[in-house]
């Protein structure tokens, strides 16, 4: 029997992450329990954004993990595994796929998927991790999203949403089981597929716009950029923006 056969399918919910958080807070839930919804009335994105997706056309789900072997200050490795699992899944169908730091999935210069990871802590340990993913599949038009793209936009055909979910879970299972013994390989693969790595691009931080080149991502998730004056700048999530012109 597969490790991930516990899939709760819902027609409509406020947010699969909210449902999963409540479940993990109140019940003993096996790892790889998945909550998938056709439609979310209050889908949440990063930094308080909304995640809006048409009903029945996209893959909207949350996976519950219990990464008790990862300390809270080392949690970026989990984010890297999730990004890579999604990268590998999308790459089965499309070329030019990349991970936009820290964990958006891009095809070309457009966003095909977003990831929202929320943790329940027990002291310094992560008791449960809710991995929320929105993957644009068969929707063709988007309102309000920045730079969206779907498989349908790229491939001009529809894909089976449940098959995509199973492909992703297989990849996630394989990567997740390699923590911590293969952390280095996971970090290297993540860096290899980083959007705009080693290419000159325009960024914006609290002091304004600058031109720079991404050189690496540290194991704690910090982005390193060398600017055009040769100065190294480092940023945590949301301290810097990419300006896609
Ligand atoms: C982002 O801002 O890029 C992250 C988007 C994450 C959206 C998914 S959809 C399924 C899950 N439930 C939510 O409410 N959000 C995540």
């Amino acid at each position: 029997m597969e490790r991930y056969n516990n899939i709760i399918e819902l027609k409509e919910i406020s947010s699969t992450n909210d449902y999963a958080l409540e479940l993990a807070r109140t019940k003993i839930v096996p790892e790889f329990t998945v909550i998938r919804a056709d439609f979310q009335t209050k889908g949440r994105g990063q930094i308080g954004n909304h995640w809006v997706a048409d009903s029945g056309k996209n893959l909207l789900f949350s996976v519950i993990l219990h990464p008790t072997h990862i300390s809270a200050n080392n949690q970026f490795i989990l984010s890297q595994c999730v990004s890579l699992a999604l990268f590998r899944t999308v790459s089965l169908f499309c070329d030019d796929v990349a991970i936009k730091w820290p964990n958006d999935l891009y095809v070309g210069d457009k966003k095909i998927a977003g990831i929202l990871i929320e943790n329940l802590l027990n002291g310094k340990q992560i008791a449960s991790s809710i991995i929320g993913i929105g993957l644009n599949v068969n929707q063709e038009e988007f309102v309000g999203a920045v730079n969206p793209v779907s498989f349908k936009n790229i491939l001009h055909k529809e894909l089976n949403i449940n098959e995509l979910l199973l492909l992703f879970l297989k990849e996630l299972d394989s990567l997740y089981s390699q923590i911590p013994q293969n952390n280095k390989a996971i970090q290297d693969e993540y860096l290899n597929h980083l959007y705009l790595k080693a290419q000159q691009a325009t960024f914006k931080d609290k002091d304004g716009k600058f031109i720079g080149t991404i050189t690496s991502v540290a194991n704690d998730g910090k982005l390193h950029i060398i600017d055009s004056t040769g100065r190294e700048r480092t940023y945590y999530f949301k301290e810097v923006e990419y300006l896609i012109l």
Side-chain angles (χ1 to χ4, degrees):
M1 197 162 46
E2 300 274 20
R3 178 143 110 110
Y4 33 83
N5 63 347
N6 196 9
I7 300 181
I8 301 170
E9 305 218 309
L10 306 167
K11 280 257 158 274
E12 183 176 313
I13 189 71
S14 53
S15 148
T16 58
N17 263 40
D18 289 348
Y19 187 105
L21 279 165
E22 182 60 20
L23 204 61
R25 263 192 210 114
T26 54
K27 297 221 165 65
I28 296 171
V29 191
E31 278 210 305
F32 280 88
T33 295
V34 173
I35 296 90
R36 189 189 75 68
D38 286 342
F39 184 64
Q40 298 182 122
T41 54
K42 283 190 188 150
R44 294 189 289 110
Q46 289 156 6
I47 50 158
N49 289 333
H50 297 292
W51 187 263
V52 181
D54 286 357
S55 180
K57 294 194 171 167
N58 301 289
L59 180 53
L60 309 168
F61 69 105
S62 304
V63 187
I64 301 174
L65 297 177
H66 303 300
T68 44
H69 56 303
I70 304 177
S71 63
N73 59 14
N74 203 18
Q75 56 185 273
F76 191 64
I77 192 71
L78 183 59
S79 174
Q80 288 176 306
C81 278
V82 176
S83 306
L84 273 179
L86 205 46
F87 170 87
R88 290 181 182 179
T89 308
V90 174
S91 297
L92 294 171
F93 303 91
C94 302
D95 296 326
D96 203 12
V97 185
I99 301 164
K100 180 167 167 279
W101 176 86
N103 55 14
D104 284 341
L105 247 286
Y106 267 49
V107 177
D109 291 320
K110 294 190 168 183
K111 177 165 167 170
I112 193 164
I115 300 172
L116 177 66
I117 302 180
E118 297 180 297
N119 293 321
L120 294 176
L121 297 182
N122 181 5
K124 287 191 175 165
Q125 297 290 110
I126 305 173
S128 302
S129 202
I130 310 303
I131 317 285
I133 293 178
L135 174 61
N136 301 332
V137 184
N138 297 325
Q139 185 170 335
E140 287 179 276
E141 283 171 27
F142 295 84
V143 182
V146 183
N147 262 342
V149 74
S150 66
F151 278 122
K152 181 78 189 277
N153 293 146
I154 300 163
L155 304 172
H156 307 290
K157 63 171 189 180
E158 306 225 328
L159 294 185
N160 183 302
I161 290 170
N162 279 317
E163 275 172 25
L164 286 168
L165 173 60
L166 293 180
L167 290 169
F168 169 81
L169 291 172
K170 271 187 195 153
E171 295 295 352
L172 182 63
D173 196 359
S174 142
L175 285 154
Y176 182 62
S177 66
Q178 294 177 45
I179 303 174
Q181 68 280 8
N182 272 341
N183 281 8
K184 173 85 173 64
I186 294 166
Q187 286 151 352
D188 287 350
E189 190 180 336
Y190 174 91
L191 282 178
N192 279 341
H193 300 299
L194 202 60
Y195 179 66
L196 289 183
K197 188 176 166 231
Q199 287 174 49
Q200 217 174 49
T202 308
F203 299 89
K204 190 176 152 201
D205 69 7
K206 62 178 180 18
D207 300 321
K209 285 186 195 178
F210 65 95
I211 295 192
T213 307
I214 295 175
T215 53
S216 70
V217 176
N219 294 348
D220 65 354
K222 223 172 180 185
L223 183 71
H224 289 237
I225 300 176
I226 296 269
D227 72 16
S228 49
T229 70
R231 184 182 131 208
E232 178 166 64
R233 305 183 187 216
T234 61
Y235 300 96
Y236 280 118
F237 184 43
K238 291 297 161 197
E239 292 175 346
V240 69
E241 237 182 275
Y242 300 55
L243 297 180
I244 298 165
L245 304 171

